[in-house]
Amino acid sequence: MSLLFSEFRCCGLRLRNRLAMPPMATELAGPRGEVTPAHLEHYRARAEAGVGLIIVEHSFVAPEGRLSPRQLGAWDDALVPGLRELAQAIRAAGACAALQISHAGSLAQSRLTGAEPVGPSAVLHPRGKEVPRELSEVGLAGVARAFGQAARRCREAGFDAVEVHGAHGFLLSQFLSPLTNRRSDAYGGGIDRRMRFPLEVVEEVRRAVGPDYPVFYRLGADDRLPGGLALDEAVKAAVALERAGVGLLDVSGGLGGSRPEGVGPGYFLPLAAGVRAAVKVPVLNAGGLDDPEVAEAALREGKADIIGVGRALLADPGWVARARLVLGA
């Protein structure tokens, strides 16, 4: 019997299988980050294909944290009706729906946002264009509140869960990395201090959505850059996130981004396996897992609990039916 297509319970949610569509930017949003009819068609097709969980693409929590012109938004209450329609479309097709919320930090560009980019330190991001302004403690509190309010909108819109984006070099990933966090105050230094602000964001999100609402966290577990964050410190961060009330860890890359060059199938599985060995909450992993047999083996070997299939589903929702045939599910 296929594990990939077996029912799975997570954070009080009942997933019809262990197959997830991870968050992938579509650039389909309106000028303020609104959901569009193209979004509804895109996500409905993947939900109808039979995945158990869809994590909707990263949605900016504040205008100055926007990454791209057509990025989805969760920064304004006026966006809730569109988000509600999107959540309903996904759930009506049988999948659980989560929304990822994000702040680009020093990856943001002033020509788009009209504001100076911010970050943990005034250090150029390895993939950035502008040196950011170091966030003050007042600024940190404001960003944490923005995450909390975005999470509240997610719940009000009817999503089953919210995912905090702490990977791929976004703001919370920047705080975790010693390459971009050079602070000398309580938010910089060793891993416990670099983890302080991401934990404060999780605390604010948890306060906004209540004790029982599922909160996921996408953890960038390896910068894949010299001197950057590596798995040993990421495992410590994962344990702290679990203790803070995160119910699922979505393990991925750090400052280096979501798709390293020159790697084979399941390129983030070693990171997921390392995290999973240290925590009790479920671990989701995506990255080069479009071969159904590789995905099935990852579950059977205990490297992950849920498998994310991204680019293959983006290209063709029919991947799910073909995977069922391969696995005899």
Side-chain angles (χ1 to χ4, degrees):
M1 182 176 179
S2 167
L3 280 181
L4 186 63
F5 287 101
S6 63
E7 184 180 287
F8 187 69
R9 293 182 182 271
C10 167
C11 312
L13 303 177
R14 180 180 175 183
L15 308 183
R16 60 187 172 186
N17 55 49
R18 296 177 183 235
L19 177 60
M21 179 177 172
M24 294 176 288
T26 61
E27 293 298 310
L28 295 173
R32 300 181 70 251
E34 305 97 325
V35 170
T36 63
H39 274 126
L40 302 180
E41 294 175 15
H42 175 78
Y43 285 105
R44 185 184 290 115
R46 276 77 191 170
E48 289 175 346
V51 300
L53 170 67
I54 288 181
I55 305 177
V56 171
E57 62 201 84
H58 69 141
S59 306
F60 60 99
V61 302
E64 64 273 15
R66 188 176 196 162
L67 181 70
S68 57
R70 301 294 298 275
Q71 184 184 355
L72 195 62
W75 63 280
D76 190 325
D77 286 351
L79 300 173
V80 170
L83 291 170
R84 182 177 296 117
E85 191 174 2
L86 179 54
Q88 288 173 345
I90 294 169
R91 297 181 64 180
C96 287
L99 178 70
Q100 187 186 73
I101 54 176
S102 71
H103 191 298
S106 59
L107 282 175
Q109 297 182 53
S110 57
R111 62 176 178 80
L112 172 63
T113 66
E116 184 181 15
V118 296
S121 303
V123 174
L124 184 66
H125 193 292
R127 295 184 288 117
K129 304 291 186 183
E130 301 173 56
V131 175
R133 170 174 53 84
E134 181 176 303
L135 278 162
S136 66
E137 291 196 16
V138 172
L140 291 173
V143 172
R145 283 194 299 272
F147 269 99
Q149 290 305 300
R152 171 187 60 79
R153 295 180 189 107
C154 174
R155 180 167 190 170
E156 289 179 0
F159 282 91
D160 296 297
V162 64
E163 178 173 273
V164 177
H165 195 359
H168 304 168
F170 280 66
L171 181 62
L172 301 186
S173 179
Q174 293 161 26
F175 266 88
L176 205 56
S177 175
L179 296 176
T180 44
N181 185 344
R182 308 281 182 81
R183 299 175 76 102
S184 58
D185 62 3
Y187 293 92
I191 184 60
D192 291 342
R193 290 191 172 195
R194 300 201 310 275
M195 194 63 205
R196 180 175 175 176
F197 182 59
L199 289 173
E200 288 181 355
V201 167
V202 169
E203 181 181 358
E204 190 67 33
V205 165
R206 177 55 72 199
R207 184 181 298 116
V209 298
D212 300 323
Y213 188 72
V215 175
F216 304 166
Y217 192 98
R218 192 162 221 192
L219 174 63
D222 192 335
D223 286 341
R224 295 182 182 260
L225 294 168
L229 181 79
L231 181 59
D232 57 343
E233 288 193 325
V235 166
K236 295 177 182 178
V239 171
L241 287 163
E242 178 184 32
R243 194 162 49 239
V246 167
L248 178 145
L249 287 162
D250 177 0
V251 178
S252 192
L255 287 190
S258 61
R259 192 174 189 180
E261 294 181 3
V263 290
Y267 41 82
F268 288 137
L269 277 175
L271 303 179
V275 169
R276 190 174 184 270
V279 299
K280 295 182 175 64
V281 296
V283 169
L284 187 157
N285 188 243
L289 291 170
D290 56 352
D291 182 329
E293 293 180 335
V294 173
E296 181 76 13
L299 294 173
R300 293 196 178 278
E301 293 166 9
K303 294 178 179 178
D305 299 286
I306 301 172
I307 298 297
V309 174
R311 289 172 178 83
L313 273 174
L314 197 62
D316 180 17
W319 181 93
V320 180
R322 293 193 296 275
R324 283 188 177 276
L325 287 174
V326 169
L327 297 176

